[in-house]
PDB file of all heavy atoms in Angstrom:
ATOM      1  N   THR A  13      85.439 122.150  85.580  1.00 88.00           N
ATOM      2  CA  THR A  13      86.030 121.231  84.659  1.00 88.00           C
ATOM      3  C   THR A  13      86.156 119.771  85.177  1.00 88.00           C
ATOM      4  O   THR A  13      86.205 118.791  84.438  1.00 88.00           O
ATOM      5  CB  THR A  13      87.509 121.694  84.236  1.00 88.00           C
ATOM      6  OG1 THR A  13      88.243 121.835  85.474  1.00 88.00           O
ATOM      7  CG2 THR A  13      87.442 122.991  83.521  1.00 88.00           C
ATOM      8  N   VAL A  14      86.071 119.692  86.488  1.00 91.00           N
ATOM      9  CA  VAL A  14      86.140 118.378  87.158  1.00 91.00           C
ATOM     10  C   VAL A  14      85.028 118.441  88.195  1.00 91.00           C
ATOM     11  O   VAL A  14      84.928 119.331  89.003  1.00 91.00           O
ATOM     12  CB  VAL A  14      87.499 118.112  87.886  1.00 91.00           C
ATOM     13  CG1 VAL A  14      87.430 116.811  88.596  1.00 91.00           C
ATOM     14  CG2 VAL A  14      88.612 118.069  86.872  1.00 91.00           C
ATOM     15  N   LYS A  15      84.109 117.462  88.151  1.00 90.00           N
ATOM     16  CA  LYS A  15      82.974 117.322  89.092  1.00 90.00           C
ATOM     17  C   LYS A  15      83.032 116.025  89.785  1.00 90.00           C
ATOM     18  O   LYS A  15      83.481 114.987  89.271  1.00 90.00           O
ATOM     19  CB  LYS A  15      81.694 117.479  88.361  1.00 90.00           C
ATOM     20  CG  LYS A  15      81.318 118.756  87.822  1.00 90.00           C
ATOM     21  CD  LYS A  15      79.876 118.694  87.224  1.00 90.00           C
ATOM     22  CE  LYS A  15      79.467 119.945  86.516  1.00 90.00           C
ATOM     23  NZ  LYS A  15      78.125 119.818  85.936  1.00 90.00           N
ATOM     24  N   HIS A  16      82.446 116.017  90.993  1.00 93.00           N
ATOM     25  CA  HIS A  16      82.255 114.744  91.682  1.00 93.00           C
ATOM     26  C   HIS A  16      81.271 113.960  90.855  1.00 93.00           C
ATOM     27  O   HIS A  16      80.397 114.530  90.172  1.00 93.00           O
ATOM     28  CB  HIS A  16      81.631 115.085  93.032  1.00 93.00           C
ATOM     29  CG  HIS A  16      81.451 113.883  93.975  1.00 93.00           C
ATOM     30  ND1 HIS A  16      80.420 113.064  93.872  1.00 93.00           N
ATOM     31  CD2 HIS A  16      82.256 113.313  94.908  1.00 93.00           C
ATOM     32  CE1 HIS A  16      80.536 112.076  94.709  1.00 93.00           C
ATOM     33  NE2 HIS A  16      81.642 112.267  95.365  1.00 93.00           N
ATOM     34  N   PRO A  17      81.454 112.643  90.742  1.00 94.00           N
ATOM     35  CA  PRO A  17      80.594 111.862  89.876  1.00 94.00           C
ATOM     36  C   PRO A  17      79.074 112.063  90.077  1.00 94.00           C
ATOM     37  O   PRO A  17      78.282 112.009  89.121  1.00 94.00           O
ATOM     38  CB  PRO A  17      80.962 110.400  90.154  1.00 94.00           C
ATOM     39  CG  PRO A  17      82.404 110.561  90.687  1.00 94.00           C
ATOM     40  CD  PRO A  17      82.457 111.891  91.397  1.00 94.00           C
ATOM     41  N   SER A  18      78.703 112.381  91.364  1.00 93.00           N
ATOM     42  CA  SER A  18      77.258 112.540  91.641  1.00 93.00           C
ATOM     43  C   SER A  18      76.681 113.834  91.027  1.00 93.00           C
ATOM     44  O   SER A  18      75.520 114.038  91.001  1.00 93.00           O
ATOM     45  CB  SER A  18      77.007 112.525  93.119  1.00 93.00           C
ATOM     46  OG  SER A  18      77.612 113.718  93.769  1.00 93.00           O
ATOM     47  N   LEU A  19      77.556 114.756  90.537  1.00 91.00           N
ATOM     48  CA  LEU A  19      77.111 115.971  89.995  1.00 91.00           C
ATOM     49  C   LEU A  19      77.047 116.061  88.501  1.00 91.00           C
ATOM     50  O   LEU A  19      76.638 117.040  87.959  1.00 91.00           O
ATOM     51  CB  LEU A  19      77.959 117.128  90.564  1.00 91.00           C
ATOM     52  CG  LEU A  19      78.053 117.274  92.090  1.00 91.00           C
ATOM     53  CD1 LEU A  19      78.946 118.401  92.478  1.00 91.00           C
ATOM     54  CD2 LEU A  19      76.658 117.453  92.642  1.00 91.00           C
ATOM     55  N   GLN A  20      77.475 114.959  87.859  1.00 90.00           N
ATOM     56  CA  GLN A  20      77.422 114.951  86.406  1.00 90.00           C
ATOM     57  C   GLN A  20      75.950 115.122  85.925  1.00 90.00           C
ATOM     58  O   GLN A  20      75.093 114.389  86.495  1.00 90.00           O
ATOM     59  CB  GLN A  20      78.045 113.587  85.908  1.00 90.00           C
ATOM     60  CG  GLN A  20      79.470 113.387  86.147  1.00 90.00           C
ATOM     61  CD  GLN A  20      80.333 114.462  85.466  1.00 90.00           C
ATOM     62  OE1 GLN A  20      80.054 114.909  84.409  1.00 90.00           O
ATOM     63  NE2 GLN A  20      81.404 114.830  86.145  1.00 90.00           N
ATOM     64  N   GLY A  21      75.785 115.995  84.978  1.00 90.00           N
ATOM     65  CA  GLY A  21      74.452 116.170  84.433  1.00 90.00           C
ATOM     66  C   GLY A  21      73.662 117.237  85.143  1.00 90.00           C
ATOM     67  O   GLY A  21      72.572 117.587  84.654  1.00 90.00           O
ATOM     68  N   TRP A  22      74.156 117.778  86.232  1.00 93.00           N
ATOM     69  CA  TRP A  22      73.447 118.777  87.035  1.00 93.00           C
ATOM     70  C   TRP A  22      73.949 120.172  86.676  1.00 93.00           C
ATOM     71  O   TRP A  22      75.205 120.309  86.558  1.00 93.00           O
ATOM     72  CB  TRP A  22      73.537 118.529  88.497  1.00 93.00           C
ATOM     73  CG  TRP A  22      72.757 117.398  88.970  1.00 93.00           C
ATOM     74  CD1 TRP A  22      73.232 116.142  89.181  1.00 93.00           C
ATOM     75  CD2 TRP A  22      71.369 117.293  89.291  1.00 93.00           C
ATOM     76  NE1 TRP A  22      72.239 115.288  89.585  1.00 93.00           N
ATOM     77  CE2 TRP A  22      71.111 116.005  89.614  1.00 93.00           C
ATOM     78  CE3 TRP A  22      70.402 118.237  89.303  1.00 93.00           C
ATOM     79  CZ2 TRP A  22      69.814 115.592  90.051  1.00 93.00           C
ATOM     80  CZ3 TRP A  22      69.122 117.855  89.618  1.00 93.00           C
ATOM     81  CH2 TRP A  22      68.813 116.534  90.062  1.00 93.00           C
ATOM     82  N   LYS A  23      73.068 121.201  86.552  1.00 95.00           N
ATOM     83  CA  LYS A  23      73.542 122.519  86.335  1.00 95.00           C
ATOM     84  C   LYS A  23      73.869 123.073  87.685  1.00 95.00           C
ATOM     85  O   LYS A  23      73.113 122.908  88.666  1.00 95.00           O
ATOM     86  CB  LYS A  23      72.407 123.346  85.718  1.00 95.00           C
ATOM     87  CG  LYS A  23      72.838 124.718  85.404  1.00 95.00           C
ATOM     88  CD  LYS A  23      71.835 125.422  84.414  1.00 95.00           C
ATOM     89  CE  LYS A  23      70.443 125.404  84.860  1.00 95.00           C
ATOM     90  NZ  LYS A  23      69.554 126.345  84.093  1.00 95.00           N
ATOM     91  N   LEU A  24      75.009 123.779  87.809  1.00 96.00           N
ATOM     92  CA  LEU A  24      75.489 124.409  89.054  1.00 96.00           C
ATOM     93  C   LEU A  24      75.186 125.907  88.996  1.00 96.00           C
ATOM     94  O   LEU A  24      75.598 126.602  88.038  1.00 96.00           O
ATOM     95  CB  LEU A  24      76.992 124.207  89.245  1.00 96.00           C
ATOM     96  CG  LEU A  24      77.455 122.747  89.332  1.00 96.00           C
ATOM     97  CD1 LEU A  24      79.012 122.712  89.369  1.00 96.00           C
ATOM     98  CD2 LEU A  24      76.857 122.033  90.523  1.00 96.00           C
ATOM     99  N   LEU A  25      74.396 126.380  89.927  1.00 97.00           N
ATOM    100  CA  LEU A  25      74.087 127.796  90.039  1.00 97.00           C
ATOM    101  C   LEU A  25      74.449 128.377  91.345  1.00 97.00           C
ATOM    102  O   LEU A  25      74.660 127.686  92.366  1.00 97.00           O
ATOM    103  CB  LEU A  25      72.533 127.924  89.828  1.00 97.00           C
ATOM    104  CG  LEU A  25      71.938 127.422  88.556  1.00 97.00           C
ATOM    105  CD1 LEU A  25      70.404 127.567  88.597  1.00 97.00           C
ATOM    106  CD2 LEU A  25      72.524 128.243  87.359  1.00 97.00           C
ATOM    107  N   ILE A  26      74.615 129.731  91.372  1.00 98.00           N
ATOM    108  CA  ILE A  26      74.875 130.461  92.555  1.00 98.00           C
ATOM    109  C   ILE A  26      73.597 131.121  93.032  1.00 98.00           C
ATOM    110  O   ILE A  26      73.032 131.961  92.215  1.00 98.00           O
ATOM    111  CB  ILE A  26      76.028 131.471  92.343  1.00 98.00           C
ATOM    112  CG1 ILE A  26      77.251 130.710  91.902  1.00 98.00           C
ATOM    113  CG2 ILE A  26      76.327 132.205  93.681  1.00 98.00           C
ATOM    114  CD1 ILE A  26      78.355 131.651  91.396  1.00 98.00           C
ATOM    115  N   ALA A  27      73.165 130.840  94.224  1.00 98.00           N
ATOM    116  CA  ALA A  27      71.865 131.396  94.659  1.00 98.00           C
ATOM    117  C   ALA A  27      72.118 132.196  95.960  1.00 98.00           C
ATOM    118  O   ALA A  27      72.803 131.716  96.881  1.00 98.00           O
ATOM    119  CB  ALA A  27      70.914 130.233  94.948  1.00 98.00           C
ATOM    120  N   GLN A  28      71.478 133.417  96.017  1.00 98.00           N
ATOM    121  CA  GLN A  28      71.579 134.179  97.182  1.00 98.00           C
ATOM    122  C   GLN A  28      70.272 134.011  98.017  1.00 98.00           C
ATOM    123  O   GLN A  28      69.169 134.405  97.560  1.00 98.00           O
ATOM    124  CB  GLN A  28      71.690 135.705  96.806  1.00 98.00           C
ATOM    125  CG  GLN A  28      71.542 136.688  97.962  1.00 98.00           C
ATOM    126  CD  GLN A  28      72.703 136.467  98.952  1.00 98.00           C
ATOM    127  OE1 GLN A  28      73.830 136.609  98.627  1.00 98.00           O
ATOM    128  NE2 GLN A  28      72.335 136.086 100.160  1.00 98.00           N
ATOM    129  N   PRO A  29      70.376 133.352  99.184  1.00 98.00           N
ATOM    130  CA  PRO A  29      69.183 133.189 100.045  1.00 98.00           C
ATOM    131  C   PRO A  29      68.679 134.554 100.409  1.00 98.00           C
ATOM    132  O   PRO A  29      69.430 135.501 100.685  1.00 98.00           O
ATOM    133  CB  PRO A  29      69.778 132.411 101.230  1.00 98.00           C
ATOM    134  CG  PRO A  29      70.949 131.775 100.708  1.00 98.00           C
ATOM    135  CD  PRO A  29      71.525 132.652  99.772  1.00 98.00           C
ATOM    136  N   LEU A  30      67.343 134.599 100.504  1.00 97.00           N
ATOM    137  CA  LEU A  30      66.650 135.881 100.830  1.00 97.00           C
ATOM    138  C   LEU A  30      65.847 135.724 102.042  1.00 97.00           C
ATOM    139  O   LEU A  30      65.278 134.623 102.377  1.00 97.00           O
ATOM    140  CB  LEU A  30      65.728 136.311  99.737  1.00 97.00           C
ATOM    141  CG  LEU A  30      66.399 136.459  98.293  1.00 97.00           C
ATOM    142  CD1 LEU A  30      65.277 136.784  97.250  1.00 97.00           C
ATOM    143  CD2 LEU A  30      67.409 137.588  98.353  1.00 97.00           C
ATOM    144  N   GLY A  31      65.860 136.821 102.881  1.00 94.00           N
ATOM    145  CA  GLY A  31      65.079 136.803 104.137  1.00 94.00           C
ATOM    146  C   GLY A  31      63.874 137.773 103.994  1.00 94.00           C
ATOM    147  O   GLY A  31      63.287 137.973 102.944  1.00 94.00           O
ATOM    148  N   VAL A  32      63.624 138.473 105.077  1.00 90.00           N
ATOM    149  CA  VAL A  32      62.543 139.412 105.202  1.00 90.00           C
ATOM    150  C   VAL A  32      62.777 140.591 104.185  1.00 90.00           C
ATOM    151  O   VAL A  32      63.866 141.038 103.953  1.00 90.00           O
ATOM    152  CB  VAL A  32      62.417 140.007 106.610  1.00 90.00           C
ATOM    153  CG1 VAL A  32      61.368 141.055 106.736  1.00 90.00           C
ATOM    154  CG2 VAL A  32      62.271 138.959 107.617  1.00 90.00           C
ATOM    155  N   ASN A  33      61.678 140.886 103.460  1.00 91.00           N
ATOM    156  CA  ASN A  33      61.666 142.038 102.479  1.00 91.00           C
ATOM    157  C   ASN A  33      62.693 141.756 101.310  1.00 91.00           C
ATOM    158  O   ASN A  33      63.245 142.700 100.783  1.00 91.00           O
ATOM    159  CB  ASN A  33      61.906 143.362 103.120  1.00 91.00           C
ATOM    160  CG  ASN A  33      60.859 143.760 104.111  1.00 91.00           C
ATOM    161  OD1 ASN A  33      59.698 143.449 103.922  1.00 91.00           O
ATOM    162  ND2 ASN A  33      61.280 144.443 105.161  1.00 91.00           N
ATOM    163  N   ASP A  34      62.912 140.528 101.069  1.00 90.00           N
ATOM    164  CA  ASP A  34      63.811 140.037  99.964  1.00 90.00           C
ATOM    165  C   ASP A  34      65.241 140.627 100.118  1.00 90.00           C
ATOM    166  O   ASP A  34      65.950 140.804  99.177  1.00 90.00           O
ATOM    167  CB  ASP A  34      63.305 140.443  98.602  1.00 90.00           C
ATOM    168  CG  ASP A  34      62.025 139.691  98.268  1.00 90.00           C
ATOM    169  OD1 ASP A  34      61.879 138.559  98.732  1.00 90.00           O
ATOM    170  OD2 ASP A  34      61.149 140.169  97.551  1.00 90.00           O
ATOM    171  N   LYS A  35      65.680 140.762 101.389  1.00 95.00           N
ATOM    172  CA  LYS A  35      67.046 141.183 101.645  1.00 95.00           C
ATOM    173  C   LYS A  35      67.904 139.891 101.727  1.00 95.00           C
ATOM    174  O   LYS A  35      67.482 138.924 102.191  1.00 95.00           O
ATOM    175  CB  LYS A  35      67.090 141.916 102.994  1.00 95.00           C
ATOM    176  CG  LYS A  35      66.190 143.152 103.112  1.00 95.00           C
ATOM    177  CD  LYS A  35      66.947 144.275 102.384  1.00 95.00           C
ATOM    178  CE  LYS A  35      66.148 145.542 102.620  1.00 95.00           C
ATOM    179  NZ  LYS A  35      66.263 146.497 101.624  1.00 95.00           N
ATOM    180  N   PRO A  36      69.186 140.019 101.275  1.00 95.00           N
ATOM    181  CA  PRO A  36      70.093 138.872 101.384  1.00 95.00           C
ATOM    182  C   PRO A  36      70.168 138.343 102.834  1.00 95.00           C
ATOM    183  O   PRO A  36      70.226 139.051 103.798  1.00 95.00           O
ATOM    184  CB  PRO A  36      71.416 139.486 100.977  1.00 95.00           C
ATOM    185  CG  PRO A  36      71.093 140.573 100.056  1.00 95.00           C
ATOM    186  CD  PRO A  36      69.840 141.146 100.663  1.00 95.00           C
ATOM    187  N   ASP A  37      70.186 137.045 102.905  1.00 95.00           N
ATOM    188  CA  ASP A  37      70.229 136.297 104.234  1.00 95.00           C
ATOM    189  C   ASP A  37      71.391 135.385 104.181  1.00 95.00           C
ATOM    190  O   ASP A  37      71.221 134.193 103.862  1.00 95.00           O
ATOM    191  CB  ASP A  37      68.960 135.609 104.501  1.00 95.00           C
ATOM    192  CG  ASP A  37      68.850 134.908 105.857  1.00 95.00           C
ATOM    193  OD1 ASP A  37      69.597 135.324 106.730  1.00 95.00           O
ATOM    194  OD2 ASP A  37      68.046 133.953 105.933  1.00 95.00           O
ATOM    195  N   GLY A  38      72.526 135.861 104.552  1.00 95.00           N
ATOM    196  CA  GLY A  38      73.739 134.966 104.572  1.00 95.00           C
ATOM    197  C   GLY A  38      74.455 135.064 103.199  1.00 95.00           C
ATOM    198  O   GLY A  38      74.166 135.826 102.344  1.00 95.00           O
ATOM    199  N   ALA A  39      75.424 134.181 103.142  1.00 97.00           N
ATOM    200  CA  ALA A  39      76.362 134.161 101.909  1.00 97.00           C
ATOM    201  C   ALA A  39      75.620 133.407 100.851  1.00 97.00           C
ATOM    202  O   ALA A  39      74.794 132.501 100.993  1.00 97.00           O
ATOM    203  CB  ALA A  39      77.607 133.465 102.216  1.00 97.00           C
ATOM    204  N   PRO A  40      76.006 133.735  99.529  1.00 98.00           N
ATOM    205  CA  PRO A  40      75.473 132.939  98.384  1.00 98.00           C
ATOM    206  C   PRO A  40      75.959 131.516  98.487  1.00 98.00           C
ATOM    207  O   PRO A  40      76.946 131.210  99.086  1.00 98.00           O
ATOM    208  CB  PRO A  40      76.138 133.673  97.185  1.00 98.00           C
ATOM    209  CG  PRO A  40      76.484 135.038  97.661  1.00 98.00           C
ATOM    210  CD  PRO A  40      76.813 134.877  99.137  1.00 98.00           C
ATOM    211  N   GLN A  41      75.100 130.667  97.955  1.00 96.00           N
ATOM    212  CA  GLN A  41      75.349 129.172  98.049  1.00 96.00           C
ATOM    213  C   GLN A  41      75.397 128.615  96.616  1.00 96.00           C
ATOM    214  O   GLN A  41      74.671 128.983  95.680  1.00 96.00           O
ATOM    215  CB  GLN A  41      74.187 128.489  98.820  1.00 96.00           C
ATOM    216  CG  GLN A  41      74.043 129.032 100.228  1.00 96.00           C
ATOM    217  CD  GLN A  41      75.202 128.725 101.083  1.00 96.00           C
ATOM    218  OE1 GLN A  41      75.904 127.697 100.923  1.00 96.00           O
ATOM    219  NE2 GLN A  41      75.487 129.609 101.992  1.00 96.00           N
ATOM    220  N   LEU A  42      76.229 127.539  96.459  1.00 96.00           N
ATOM    221  CA  LEU A  42      76.317 126.752  95.276  1.00 96.00           C
ATOM    222  C   LEU A  42      75.166 125.718  95.313  1.00 96.00           C
ATOM    223  O   LEU A  42      75.067 125.029  96.309  1.00 96.00           O
ATOM    224  CB  LEU A  42      77.624 126.125  95.130  1.00 96.00           C
ATOM    225  CG  LEU A  42      77.828 125.254  93.844  1.00 96.00           C
ATOM    226  CD1 LEU A  42      77.888 126.171  92.642  1.00 96.00           C
ATOM    227  CD2 LEU A  42      79.130 124.463  93.932  1.00 96.00           C
ATOM    228  N   ILE A  43      74.355 125.719  94.310  1.00 96.00           N
ATOM    229  CA  ILE A  43      73.170 124.798  94.348  1.00 96.00           C
ATOM    230  C   ILE A  43      73.207 123.986  93.047  1.00 96.00           C
ATOM    231  O   ILE A  43      73.768 124.358  92.057  1.00 96.00           O
ATOM    232  CB  ILE A  43      71.846 125.511  94.489  1.00 96.00           C
ATOM    233  CG1 ILE A  43      71.422 126.306  93.237  1.00 96.00           C
ATOM    234  CG2 ILE A  43      71.805 126.284  95.706  1.00 96.00           C
ATOM    235  CD1 ILE A  43      69.945 126.768  93.170  1.00 96.00           C
ATOM    236  N   ILE A  44      72.573 122.777  93.072  1.00 96.00           N
ATOM    237  CA  ILE A  44      72.277 122.006  91.840  1.00 96.00           C
ATOM    238  C   ILE A  44      70.865 122.349  91.437  1.00 96.00           C
ATOM    239  O   ILE A  44      70.008 122.589  92.202  1.00 96.00           O
ATOM    240  CB  ILE A  44      72.521 120.545  91.966  1.00 96.00           C
ATOM    241  CG1 ILE A  44      71.662 119.948  93.104  1.00 96.00           C
ATOM    242  CG2 ILE A  44      73.976 120.236  92.206  1.00 96.00           C
ATOM    243  CD1 ILE A  44      71.692 118.393  93.123  1.00 96.00           C
TER     244      ILE A  44
END
Side-chain angles (χ1 to χ4, degrees):
T13 56
V14 177
K15 289 184 184 179
H16 187 273
S18 67
L19 302 180
Q20 293 298 325
W22 290 96
K23 184 164 52 167
L24 301 174
L25 298 175
I26 302 168
Q28 173 61 62
L30 302 175
V32 178
N33 297 325
D34 293 332
K35 301 282 187 204
D37 182 21
Q41 301 295 327
L42 181 67
I43 69 168
I44 57 171

